[in-house]
């Protein structure tokens, strides 16, 4: 059988066996509504609360600060719209960065149509925001700073502690989209003074369609889905019990294996980066060399189209991505690569390879070998 290598863990991950096993009873046997007062309902309420405790303990938060959402995008929408609507009496200015995920950028664009104004901070050639630029952007009207923990395309990790400090000193709420970071970076929301944080289970071996918004106690934020009293009345809708249980198990598992997982990914990442840079000419590594997600590699190959590489690798059993999963169907160059200064040609030659739990050294060797052949072949054709 042909070799198969999945290197697109930033798009999504498989669901771990232990996670599936904990979820399984909640589809058929334990199907009660957590709001019901009879036993099969109450048992499910307990399962939801256990998951909430597991998330709280992973983030060093209180269980009552954890709110389940349908995905990371919903958590991002809630943080930005919820703060904007609840605090518009104080001001209508929001600060974010130009390399955020569309779930933040398009929410900001939506709010701009409704009387808010947004500053999109630039980033340097590694994709890092500038603290001085952030300080200078703050006005008396600023009510929210939302900066992602780590970028989904180039993997760059932001100076979150410094950003949170600036927000705190200026009495401004701070939200971070940590969808790519959770499972890869240990985050203590108290130590880092984060007011709100978004996460999504399908990025750390949990199910798709379930996320969390952490909201620090005392934060003034509007409710998101209006309806019944679920999630403390802030986010209505009958709980997705199997997925909530899966998210709880997945986050707990990721905390238990955190250090060894990190070491393994960094070793494979370095093997991939060094192997490609040594063997293929005219290649650029995008994103910060060190301050990047342990499993993220993003290259630009000069004189070739990333999409052609992707298709040829696919034929060799290798799954990678050209940009973020959400923009890979778009023909526009990635807004992240443009923001770090890449011209259209280098942007189009980009390839994101994101390593995960099931990958091995042999996988990486196979990918380097195939990439070398594919890039050489494509450059020859285009001569
Ligand atoms: N934020 C970031 C940084 C992401 O990478 C993603 C998904 O790729 C999201 C938000 C959206 O998460 P979800 O797919 O759960 O809506």
């Amino acid at each position: 059988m042909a070799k198969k290598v999945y290197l697109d863990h930033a798009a999504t991950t498989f669901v771990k066996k232990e996670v599936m096993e904990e979820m399984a009873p909640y589809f058929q046997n334990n199907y009660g509504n957590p709001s019901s007062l009879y036993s099969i309902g109450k048992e499910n309420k307990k399962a939801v609360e256990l998951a909430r405790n597991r998330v709280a303990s992973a983030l060093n938060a209180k269980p009552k600060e954890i709110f389940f959402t349908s995905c990371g995008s919903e958590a991002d929408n809630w943080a930005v719209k919820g703060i904007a609507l609840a605090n518009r009496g104080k001001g209508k200015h929001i600060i974010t960065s130009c390399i955020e995920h569309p779930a933040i950028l398009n929410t900001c664009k939506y709010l701009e149509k409704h009387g808010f104004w947004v500053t999109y901070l630039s980033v340097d050639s590694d994709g890092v925001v500038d603290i001085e630029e952030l300080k200078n952007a703050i006005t008396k009207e600023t009510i929210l700073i939302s900066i992602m923990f780590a970028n989904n395309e180039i993997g760059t990790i932001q100076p979150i502690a410094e950003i949170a400090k600036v927000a705190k000193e200026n009495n401004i709420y701070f939200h971070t989209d940590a969808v790519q970071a959770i499972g890869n970076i240990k985050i203590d929301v108290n130590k880092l003074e984060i007011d709100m944080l978004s996460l999504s289970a399908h990025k750390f071996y949990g199910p798709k369609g379930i996320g969390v918004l952490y909201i620090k106690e005392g934060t003034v934020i509007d409710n998101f889905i209006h309806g019944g009293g679920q999630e403390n009345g802030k986010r209505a809708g009958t709980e997705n019990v199997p997925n909530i249980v899966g998210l709880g198990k997945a986050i707990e598992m990721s905390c238990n294996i955190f250090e060894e997982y990190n070491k393994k990914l960094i070793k494979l990442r370095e093997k991939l980066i060094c192997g490609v840079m040594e063997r293929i000419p005219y290649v650029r590594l995008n994103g910060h060399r060190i301050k990047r997600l342990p499993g993220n590699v993003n290259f630009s190959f000069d004189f070739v189209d990333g999409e052609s590489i992707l298709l040829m690798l696919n034929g060799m059993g290798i799954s990678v991505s050209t940009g973020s999963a959400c923009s890979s169907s778009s023909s526009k160059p990635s807004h992240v690569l443009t923001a770090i200064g890449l011209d259209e040609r280098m942007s189009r030659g980009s390839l994101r390879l994101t390593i995960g739990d099931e990958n091995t050294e042999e996988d990486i060797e196979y990918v380097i070998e195939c990439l070398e052949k594919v890039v050489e072949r494509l450059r020859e054709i285009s001569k």
Side-chain angles (χ1 to χ4, degrees):
M1 213 172 75
K3 195 166 169 58
K4 292 248 179 265
V5 182
Y6 181 76
L7 279 186
D8 204 13
H9 295 82
T12 199
T13 58
F14 69 95
V15 178
K16 281 199 172 159
K17 188 169 143 277
E18 297 86 335
V19 172
M20 291 257 297
E21 280 169 3
E22 278 214 18
M23 291 171 68
Y26 295 93
F27 287 101
Q28 285 200 310
N29 296 332
N30 308 0
Y31 52 80
N33 187 321
S35 302
S36 301
L37 296 179
Y38 41 77
S39 307
I40 61 164
K42 285 209 261 182
E43 284 306 314
N44 279 7
K45 176 90 183 140
K46 268 198 213 154
V48 168
E49 293 318 311
L50 171 65
R52 203 185 304 284
N53 281 317
R54 284 169 160 173
V55 178
S57 127
L59 300 177
N60 190 26
K62 296 178 191 149
K64 64 178 171 189
E65 296 174 323
I66 304 302
F67 297 87
F68 293 110
T69 62
S70 67
C71 57
S73 300
E74 184 191 322
D76 282 348
N77 269 258
W78 184 2
V80 177
K81 288 182 201 162
I83 289 292
L85 291 179
N87 295 276
R88 66 188 145 179
K90 280 201 206 151
K92 290 190 165 181
H93 181 226
I94 294 166
I95 301 175
T96 188
S97 85
C98 60
I99 60 161
E100 298 295 310
H101 187 272
I104 292 290
L105 291 177
N106 289 335
T107 304
C108 287
K109 295 258 172 314
Y110 168 81
L111 287 174
E112 282 176 312
K113 286 192 203 140
H114 293 272
F116 291 85
W117 50 291
V118 182
T119 301
Y120 300 89
L121 299 177
S122 65
V123 290
D124 66 14
S125 57
D126 288 329
V128 183
V129 298
D130 176 30
I131 299 294
E132 285 312 305
E133 191 187 341
L134 167 67
K135 286 181 184 165
N136 292 334
I138 292 172
T139 71
K140 282 199 186 98
E141 279 236 28
T142 312
I143 49 172
L144 174 69
I145 297 171
S146 178
I147 305 286
M148 69 201 322
F149 211 106
N151 185 264
N152 45 306
E153 292 187 41
I154 55 172
T156 298
I157 299 167
Q158 298 298 338
I160 291 297
E162 283 176 72
I163 297 168
K165 189 163 168 266
V166 172
K168 181 109 189 157
E169 281 166 1
N170 289 278
N171 207 14
I172 299 166
Y173 285 125
F174 174 54
H175 165 254
T176 187
D177 172 344
V179 168
Q180 292 290 338
I182 294 289
N184 285 307
I185 300 171
K186 188 111 192 70
I187 300 179
D188 179 327
V189 286
N190 273 311
K191 210 156 141 196
L192 286 173
E193 302 194 289
I194 293 168
D195 297 313
M196 282 157 291
L197 175 147
S198 308
L199 62 89
S200 180
H202 74 106
K203 309 291 186 182
F204 51 89
Y205 310 99
K208 294 168 188 50
I210 186 75
V212 159
L213 181 63
Y214 153 78
I215 307 175
K216 193 180 175 66
E217 196 177 7
T219 302
V220 179
I221 181 166
D222 260 15
N223 299 346
F224 198 56
I225 296 188
H226 304 275
Q230 295 93 350
E231 298 302 292
N232 212 8
K234 289 189 183 302
R235 196 272 180 195
T238 301
E239 296 87 341
N240 185 340
V241 181
N243 274 5
I244 290 174
V245 167
L247 186 151
K249 180 67 180 171
I251 206 164
E252 186 185 73
M253 283 183 73
S254 86
C255 288
N256 290 341
I257 55 154
F258 185 73
E259 265 173 39
E260 67 185 277
Y261 179 61
N262 239 270
K263 259 193 220 151
K264 174 189 160 168
L265 291 198
I266 291 175
K267 192 166 169 219
L268 295 180
R269 178 189 80 191
E270 290 308 302
K271 188 178 173 79
L272 179 56
I273 293 176
C274 297
V276 167
M277 307 282 280
E278 268 164 27
R279 285 168 61 169
I280 307 179
Y282 305 107
V283 57
R284 174 190 199 276
L285 177 71
N286 298 316
H288 197 283
R289 183 65 187 86
I290 314 285
K291 288 183 218 149
R292 70 187 304 136
L293 287 168
N296 173 288
V297 179
N298 188 313
F299 292 122
S300 279
F301 297 93
D302 214 348
F303 316 114
V304 266
D305 194 42
E307 214 166 283
S308 308
I309 307 178
L310 182 153
L311 293 175
M312 283 181 74
L313 288 180
N314 184 42
M316 297 163 140
I318 301 170
S319 308
V320 297
S321 146
T322 48
S324 75
C326 317
S327 63
S328 58
S329 57
S330 143
S331 59
K332 279 207 294 196
S334 139
H335 68 288
V336 177
L337 298 179
T338 305
I340 62 170
L342 263 61
D343 60 20
E344 195 170 332
R345 198 185 73 207
M346 283 304 264
S347 280
R348 289 202 188 284
S350 82
L351 205 68
R352 182 185 72 175
L353 307 99
T354 44
I355 303 160
D357 204 35
E358 77 281 21
N359 293 133
T360 61
E361 300 234 357
E362 293 78 63
D363 288 349
I364 301 299
E365 280 154 21
Y366 177 64
V367 170
I368 298 170
E369 218 173 90
C370 292
L371 250 177
E372 191 181 15
K373 281 189 204 143
V374 164
V375 172
E376 202 178 290
R377 175 99 189 87
L378 287 168
R379 282 180 180 161
E380 240 158 54
I381 295 171
S382 69
K383 261 186 200 163

